């Protein structure tokens, strides 16, 4: 069974200690995020920034330093938005099936069904 086939058959709901094979995804992520950022930065954010900041005639040859700074800041903020939005969506998709996600009383239950003192039902 190949590497990608192993990833596809992982039971994500099963809890276990990490295995050596689990860390094989780290190099993929180390290559994935910079690659995605590069392509978004060059082909999406740059064009969007020039369109939003410089307007429709954004093909002028003499772009001043202030406009370049605005474009650079726009691209950085757009990347942060995409990164944190995708991280939040991943976190919500992973935790959605947990019992404490919808029932916050479960969140306060400790080991051995011990309920925190100020969260006891009356």
């Amino acid at each position: 069974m190949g590497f990608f086939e192993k990833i596809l058959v992982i039971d994500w709901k099963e809890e276990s200690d990490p295995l050596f094979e689990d860390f094989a995804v780290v190099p993929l992520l180390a290559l994935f995020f910079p690659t995605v950022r590069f392509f978004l930065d060059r082909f999406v954010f740059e064009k969007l920034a020039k369109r939003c900041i410089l307007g429709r005639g954004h093909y002028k040859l003499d772009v001043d330093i202030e406009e370049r700074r605005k474009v650079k800041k726009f691209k950085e903020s757009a990347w942060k938005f995409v990164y944190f939005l995708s991280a939040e969506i991943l976190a919500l998709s992973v935790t959605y099936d947990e019992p404490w996600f919808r029932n916050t009383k479960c969140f306060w239950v400790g080991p051995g069904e011990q309920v925190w003192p100020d969260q006891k039902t009356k």
Side-chain angles (χ1 to χ4, degrees):
M1 187 181 303
F3 174 73
F4 291 108
E5 290 144 356
K6 285 183 182 180
I7 290 177
L8 294 175
V9 296
I10 292 175
D11 182 14
W12 294 101
K13 297 189 188 290
E14 177 187 340
E15 292 187 26
S16 66
D17 292 330
L19 302 172
F20 181 74
E21 296 87 32
D22 295 337
F23 295 106
V25 82
V26 172
L28 291 176
L29 292 176
L31 294 173
F32 175 75
F33 283 109
T35 304
V36 168
R37 182 173 183 173
F38 173 77
F39 283 108
L40 284 175
D41 192 51
R42 283 286 164 100
F43 301 114
V44 177
F45 299 151
E46 178 112 16
K47 292 179 182 181
L48 187 62
K50 287 181 178 179
R51 172 62 65 83
C52 290
I53 294 170
L54 305 176
R56 287 198 178 266
H58 65 275
Y59 296 107
K60 25 183 194 175
L61 297 174
D62 56 339
V63 178
D64 65 352
I65 294 172
E66 188 63 33
E67 289 174 339
R68 275 191 250 145
R69 285 184 186 151
K70 286 180 183 179
V71 168
K72 185 176 179 180
K73 187 172 184 174
F74 181 93
K75 293 188 315 183
E76 182 68 28
S77 297
W79 168 249
K80 287 179 183 178
F81 173 76
V82 168
Y83 177 79
F84 286 115
L85 179 66
S86 61
E88 186 65 27
I89 289 171
L90 175 65
L92 289 174
S93 66
V94 168
T95 59
Y96 183 75
D97 291 331
E98 296 293 330
W100 48 263
F101 189 79
R102 283 175 245 113
N103 183 2
T104 56
K105 182 181 180 290
C106 294
F107 183 78
W108 297 102
V109 175
E113 301 299 316
Q114 171 189 358
V115 178
W116 293 86
D118 48 321
Q119 296 297 322
K120 289 182 181 176
T121 55
K122 297 178 181 179

